[in-house]
Amino acid sequence: MNSADPFESFRRHMSRQAHRVPKQWDASRGLLEKRAFTSTVDRLISAIKEQPLPDNVKAILLQLFEGERPQRVQDLDGEYLKQVTGFPPAKAMRALTIAFGLVPAPTSKWPMSSLSSEAIEGLVRGLTNPFDLLMNTDVASVLDIGTGDLSFAEELADQYGPQLHQRDRPLILHGVDRLDPQSQLGGPLHADSGRLHRLRQRQGLSFAFFGHQDVFNLNELDGRDLLAPRYTVATCWAPATPTFAYEPSRLSPAVIHEELQRTKGTFRLTRFGKEPALEVLHGTRALLFPPWKFDVIGPLALLQLLARRGSLVVLGSVDDQVFWEILAQLLDDPRYRPQDEPFHAANLPAIFGGIYDQLTNLPIGASVELADLGALRHQLPSADLSDSTNHSTGHFRYVRVSRGATFPGMPASSTARKFSAMTEEVPPWLVTLVPA
């Protein structure tokens, strides 16, 4: 534990509790209601006394709850509570009720790996292909975010399905994508009907695909137990540009809008038949996209989504612009996150310095541990810009960066397969991450 801040480790623990169990987080709200609050405090005091905790943490928590027994959230000493937990009073109480076992764990029909993050890291370090983890862990499950035409899903099922079936182990493969299957927009990124049929019929594969789905709001699917609370692997191939190419915590809406107009052209919302569309005037051409095409969410939100849903995170075929925005969020030094300064080829060398040189000189097919190039960020801030508490949301204990679109023996998306023919494109990246 950091001697300069004796509560740092406990705050990290609280943050993980708050963000990795969304069903329990929702259920914890009821424990703060007036009729339940005093009972909640009594149960919390008993749990604090029973569980092993650092003496300084236990002492201040008991002082907060045993002194003048609070009758409502407003009676709590918010300053001390935030010092210990990192949260304001209501969120702190909810996180504490989860951490000390006052909120029952939700039941799910989906199995989840029992391996710790340390064990996952140990396995991944010994694998050149991160997806081989599926053959080396107790549960073989994958969540594919932005699954597109299902090309990656089919390659993954072809490669691992038969091997797992021979061992009498199922492969769980779920894909979500924001494209509406009924839309006339989106072209080749739509789920391929032939692949969809083959995946649904495959023996030994538990497959589900959810289209027209906001991947950052999976509450309905979770509520119906259609998704696992956590997968062995959560992956995203070719993270969308510009959706993840600009980080809103680093760049203001005005700067992002100006950059989009400068690089993509003027744009406006319109209609294509009966559906809304985004029209982009690129030179002399008018291009039509789904209406959300230029909605910028940023890599921080994507990283946090994948970290919540996967014991291992794999980002494949990451284009250069998205890659450097992701990297800026993973590295500790704030110099890599200059405010209102969009990344471009001319300023990347100055901003990232020696890290830029080492990564751009990485041969195609080669890999490097990011921690060997620079210190990793200890905590990621909340990606919710409306959250005035600006609390942290965990971090990654291991990050490996690989250069290239495809790798021998590794399943990949059709976008990754096409990169070799895109002679004017900078080679993309593969990022493998183990959440802490």
Side-chain angles (χ1 to χ4, degrees):
M1 187 175 292
N2 188 339
S3 59
D5 188 348
F7 305 115
E8 181 180 353
S9 294
F10 190 72
R11 284 198 296 268
R12 290 181 186 174
H13 179 60
M14 288 296 98
S15 179
R16 287 195 293 268
Q17 295 297 327
H19 292 89
R20 290 193 177 179
V21 285
K23 285 187 178 180
Q24 286 175 280
W25 181 254
D26 290 340
S28 69
R29 185 180 286 109
L31 295 180
L32 272 62
E33 293 177 359
K34 184 177 180 180
R35 57 181 174 79
F37 189 81
T38 55
S39 174
T40 298
V41 171
D42 291 341
R43 293 169 62 200
L44 196 53
I45 290 171
S46 296
I48 292 168
K49 289 179 177 178
E50 291 172 3
Q51 291 195 20
L53 287 171
D55 291 342
N56 51 1
V57 173
K58 179 172 287 193
I60 197 168
L61 285 175
L62 290 176
Q63 178 185 337
L64 282 164
F65 295 114
E66 274 195 315
E68 294 185 10
R69 193 69 61 95
Q71 303 296 307
R72 54 179 187 163
V73 171
Q74 290 83 350
D75 295 337
L76 293 165
D77 189 322
E79 181 180 346
Y80 277 115
L81 201 54
K82 188 167 186 179
Q83 180 185 353
V84 182
T85 66
F87 292 111
K91 288 185 176 180
M93 281 293 292
R94 293 172 69 183
L96 286 166
T97 61
I98 296 171
F100 287 99
L102 273 61
V103 185
T107 57
S108 174
K109 66 183 179 183
W110 304 108
M112 291 180 285
S113 175
S114 61
L115 295 183
S116 66
S117 59
E118 292 88 349
I120 295 289
E121 179 185 352
L123 289 169
V124 171
R125 282 181 176 275
L127 301 172
T128 55
N129 173 2
F131 294 104
D132 282 349
L133 180 67
L134 299 173
M135 304 301 301
N136 293 274
T137 188
D138 49 346
V139 175
S141 61
V142 179
L143 177 64
D144 186 11
I145 295 288
T147 195
D149 65 0
L150 297 171
S151 53
F152 166 78
E154 187 168 52
E155 285 200 17
L156 183 104
D158 285 345
Q159 181 164 336
Y160 295 104
Q163 298 180 65
L164 289 164
H165 189 57
Q166 286 179 358
R167 301 183 186 183
D168 198 27
R169 294 179 58 204
L171 172 60
I172 300 167
L173 176 55
H174 295 161
V176 292
D177 197 283
R178 60 181 173 176
L179 268 177
D180 183 351
Q182 307 304 316
S183 174
Q184 299 300 305
L185 303 166
L189 297 178
H190 280 282
D192 179 85
S193 58
R195 291 192 183 104
L196 192 57
H197 176 74
R198 290 191 294 272
L199 287 164
R200 285 173 172 166
Q201 299 301 313
R202 189 183 293 265
Q203 189 177 19
L205 176 66
S206 177
F207 174 78
F209 168 71
F210 305 98
H212 198 201
Q213 173 63 52
D214 178 358
V215 300
F216 291 96
N217 185 5
L218 301 174
N219 293 338
E220 182 179 349
L221 297 180
D222 285 331
R224 295 162 60 194
D225 206 21
L226 296 174
L227 296 177
R230 192 165 177 83
Y231 295 78
T232 300
V233 180
T235 187
C236 177
W237 283 79
T241 301
T243 303
F244 304 116
Y246 303 98
E247 175 48 54
S249 65
R250 196 178 73 78
L251 303 169
S252 68
V255 168
I256 293 173
H257 184 82
E258 182 181 344
E259 277 295 295
L260 288 174
Q261 286 200 320
R262 185 181 68 81
T263 58
K264 309 295 184 184
T266 58
F267 52 92
R268 67 183 182 96
L269 289 174
T270 183
R271 299 194 69 82
F272 179 70
K274 294 183 178 181
E275 59 179 313
L278 181 75
E279 181 186 73
V280 181
L281 298 178
H282 191 73
T284 59
R285 301 171 62 199
L287 308 175
L288 290 177
F289 298 96
W292 37 256
K293 174 66 176 177
F294 281 8
D295 289 352
V296 172
I297 297 171
L300 187 58
L302 178 63
L303 288 170
Q304 291 172 355
L305 168 66
L306 292 167
R308 286 195 301 271
R309 304 308 294 227
S311 297
L312 172 68
V313 172
V314 182
L315 293 162
S317 192
V318 183
D319 78 16
D320 211 47
Q321 186 177 9
V322 174
F323 171 74
W324 292 107
E325 282 286 0
I326 289 174
L327 201 72
Q329 296 304 317
L330 296 174
L331 292 165
D332 188 49
D333 196 327
R335 65 171 281 198
Y336 305 122
R337 294 179 292 278
Q339 291 297 302
D340 280 343
E341 186 178 353
F343 293 147
H344 50 77
N347 67 5
L348 283 172
I351 292 170
F352 288 93
I355 292 178
Y356 177 86
D357 296 333
Q358 292 176 81
L359 287 175
T360 53
N361 288 324
L362 198 65
I364 300 298
S367 301
V368 65
E369 288 186 28
L370 186 58
D372 290 340
L373 306 183
L376 299 183
R377 207 168 182 181
H378 298 298
Q379 291 287 318
L380 298 180
S382 171
D384 183 0
L385 298 182
S386 65
D387 184 356
S388 60
T389 63
N390 194 32
H391 57 265
S392 55
T393 58
H395 65 292
F396 294 96
R397 60 181 302 121
Y398 174 76
V399 181
R400 184 167 70 213
V401 176
S402 307
R403 191 76 190 272
T406 59
F407 300 82
M410 188 186 299
S413 70
S414 59
T415 303
R417 300 282 177 209
K418 292 172 184 173
F419 248 103
S420 60
M422 300 179 185
T423 55
E424 295 183 2
E425 294 288 337
V426 175
W429 308 83
L430 180 90
V431 187
T432 303
L433 313 99
V434 178

